Amino acid sequence: MLNIKCGNTVENAIGTLVDAGELAGAAALAWRDGEAVQTAAVGCRHLARGLPVERDTIFRIASMTKPVTTVAALMLLDEGRFALDDSIATCAPELAHLRVLRHPEGPLDATDAAARSITFRDLLTHRSGLTYGEFHSGPVGRTSAETLGAHIDNPLTPDEWIARVAMLPLIDQPGAGFHYGISTDVLGFLIARLEGESLGEVLARRVFAPLGMRDTGFVVSPDKHDRRAGLCGFDDEGRLTTLTAAPGRHALDERPDDMTFESGGQGLWSTLDDYLVFARMLLGDVEVPALLRPETLALMTSNQLTPAQREGARMFGRPIFAAGHGYGMGVAVVLEPEKADPLRCRGGIGTIGWPGAYGGWWQADPTDRSVLIFLSHNMLELSQMARGIGLGAWSAVASFHAIATS
């Protein structure tokens, strides 16, 4: 295992966790005043082959995909292709007549008709009533998993998947509250329908090509396979191990070539430098092509939740926006810096970010024009997290944030 320690304190902080077997490896970058002021590449990108993490290692970024899909959707908004309060049934008639559970954990036949249609605004702000099945212990959790299948490497076609979404009840009335879930996946497939091409083709043309994000996409081209980070997690004893599939089999070590499902919520691979240019675009950096109108970018990066919705938002039963943060469109937004949890993002007012479940994290702070990015493969079962296994990636993120912002 490569672990070169020098005066770089970020590298030392990550290296301590790597040496302790709490993290296979990670890459981190801090950018400020127009340049990368700190970088680190520590540990292994592929455990079985002993390959080192490098600055250009390509990682699965999981939910760091959501802001990218959001930007593509807002580009269509800027072009007048839809209005925020348009019903999504205009391009997904399958979702025109939905039912809503009377209680999120209640029986599936205890439902009422949705009071109104889901809108594009609802999808962009996770107020659609759609959810992730694994967040629920009641019938909707099991049924969602069985009906929809894997979040990333899924054998269903986009149209088949949307038809199955229509079979499931919502857990809340559209617009009522923040519920993290598959909203951005639905949004991605609607973008694809509006454009008449796959989501990957839309993102490549609208986002990746203009920004020069050459290593970002839903698949990694064969000539770059050696730069991929291997899937990595932990065994039942808490030891690092190579995986053939991510927990829940949501992502595979090798994606079949005939898959057409592209997850706008969590499917992308990327690198430090690719995501850096994307984050700089969100800061309005004049040296990076602007993809959105200034007023649309301001909308995306400002809180869209009501006080009651911030107070009521939960993830794994814990409040996520009650203090410190709000939620814009695809990103958390710092409202009260002194109360903000750095594991979402923490900086000056208006700092944005959104982490990924596989150990990726980033933030962009408009008050000092800085960007911080941390990428790793740290793939955990929920039961392992409950036992304290595999939390080293988040300790590394906390240390990186503290060092980079000191």
Side-chain angles (χ1 to χ4, degrees):
M1 179 178 293
L2 180 68
N3 181 16
I4 301 173
K5 293 185 180 180
C6 57
N8 186 330
T9 54
V10 172
E11 191 168 75
N12 290 343
I14 298 172
T16 297
L17 292 161
V18 169
D19 291 342
E22 296 182 40
L23 182 66
L29 181 151
W31 182 88
R32 187 178 290 107
D33 296 327
E35 63 180 345
V37 293
Q38 295 189 67
T39 61
V42 185
C44 280
R45 71 176 185 266
H46 198 292
L47 283 175
R49 297 169 62 191
L51 299 174
V53 172
E54 297 174 307
R55 178 164 171 167
D56 67 352
T57 294
I58 306 171
F59 293 89
R60 285 191 178 275
I61 61 171
S63 287
M64 289 170 60
T65 303
K66 288 180 171 70
V68 180
T69 302
T70 297
V71 165
L74 293 176
M75 292 174 76
L76 296 183
L77 175 72
D78 278 348
E79 295 170 9
R81 303 285 292 279
F82 64 84
L84 287 176
D85 295 317
D86 283 351
S87 167
I88 64 171
T90 57
C91 58
E94 305 98 315
L95 303 177
H97 304 289
L98 300 174
R99 305 289 298 181
V100 182
L101 287 173
R102 292 173 187 154
H103 188 280
E105 308 301 336
L108 297 180
D109 59 355
T111 64
D112 298 308
R116 65 165 175 79
S117 296
I118 295 173
T119 65
F120 285 92
R121 188 190 302 273
D122 294 333
L123 292 180
L124 287 158
T125 58
H126 286 276
R127 292 182 291 189
S128 64
L130 296 164
T131 187
Y132 284 131
E134 53 263 51
F135 288 173
H136 300 275
S137 58
V140 73
R142 180 178 62 257
T143 302
S144 293
E146 294 172 352
T147 303
L148 299 181
H151 291 322
I152 298 174
D153 290 330
N154 191 317
L156 297 173
T157 67
D159 288 349
E160 289 170 342
W161 186 83
I162 290 177
R164 293 193 180 198
V165 171
M167 298 166 59
L168 297 170
L170 305 177
I171 62 162
D172 203 354
Q173 289 288 345
F178 179 95
H179 301 284
Y180 193 54
I182 62 171
S183 288
T184 314
D185 289 285
V186 173
L187 180 67
F189 290 137
L190 300 191
I191 293 170
R193 285 188 177 183
L194 287 168
E195 291 282 76
E197 54 189 350
S198 73
L199 178 60
E201 291 168 334
V202 175
L203 296 183
R205 175 171 52 83
R206 286 187 170 272
V207 181
F208 306 149
L211 295 181
M213 297 171 67
R214 298 176 181 86
D215 294 324
T216 302
F218 291 114
V219 296
V220 179
S221 61
D223 61 307
K224 299 177 181 179
H225 277 187
D226 280 350
R227 290 168 49 202
R228 291 182 304 181
L231 304 192
C232 182
F234 294 83
D235 63 20
D236 289 341
E237 303 303 317
R239 296 179 295 246
L240 286 164
T241 187
T242 299
L243 303 176
T244 58
R249 297 195 62 79
H250 290 301
L252 306 176
D253 57 349
E254 295 294 343
R255 177 183 169 98
D257 291 337
D258 60 353
M259 277 189 176
T260 59
F261 184 96
E262 294 173 324
S263 168
Q266 49 270 321
L268 289 175
W269 295 79
S270 194
T271 63
L272 288 178
D273 287 291
D274 272 14
Y275 212 85
L276 171 62
V277 72
F278 176 75
R280 289 172 60 190
M281 182 274 297
L282 294 178
L283 285 178
D285 188 328
V286 296
E287 296 183 359
V288 174
L291 301 185
L292 299 174
R293 293 177 179 174
E295 60 269 29
T296 305
L297 180 59
L299 184 72
M300 174 182 172
T301 57
S302 60
N303 175 53
Q304 301 297 308
L305 304 182
T306 68
Q309 289 169 342
R310 286 182 63 204
E311 181 69 30
R314 296 286 186 274
M315 193 178 298
F316 299 116
R318 301 181 60 185
I320 52 175
F321 301 129
H325 297 91
Y327 191 81
M329 294 179 173
V331 290
V333 184
V334 171
L335 302 179
E336 302 152 316
E338 68 283 358
K339 298 179 181 179
D341 180 353
L343 293 185
R344 272 182 289 286
C345 55
R346 183 175 186 175
I349 292 174
T351 296
I352 57 171
W354 195 253
Y358 294 157
W361 174 95
W362 70 286
Q363 70 171 45
D365 186 339
T367 65
D368 66 0
R369 315 294 294 173
S370 67
V371 175
L372 308 180
I373 305 170
F374 179 98
L375 298 178
S376 69
H377 270 183
N378 193 66
M379 299 169 173
L380 309 175
E381 301 280 358
L382 293 180
S383 60
Q384 291 177 322
M385 293 176 63
R387 293 166 53 202
I389 292 174
L391 303 184
W394 305 113
S395 296
V397 166
S399 296
F400 168 50
H401 182 276
I403 295 165
T405 58
S406 63

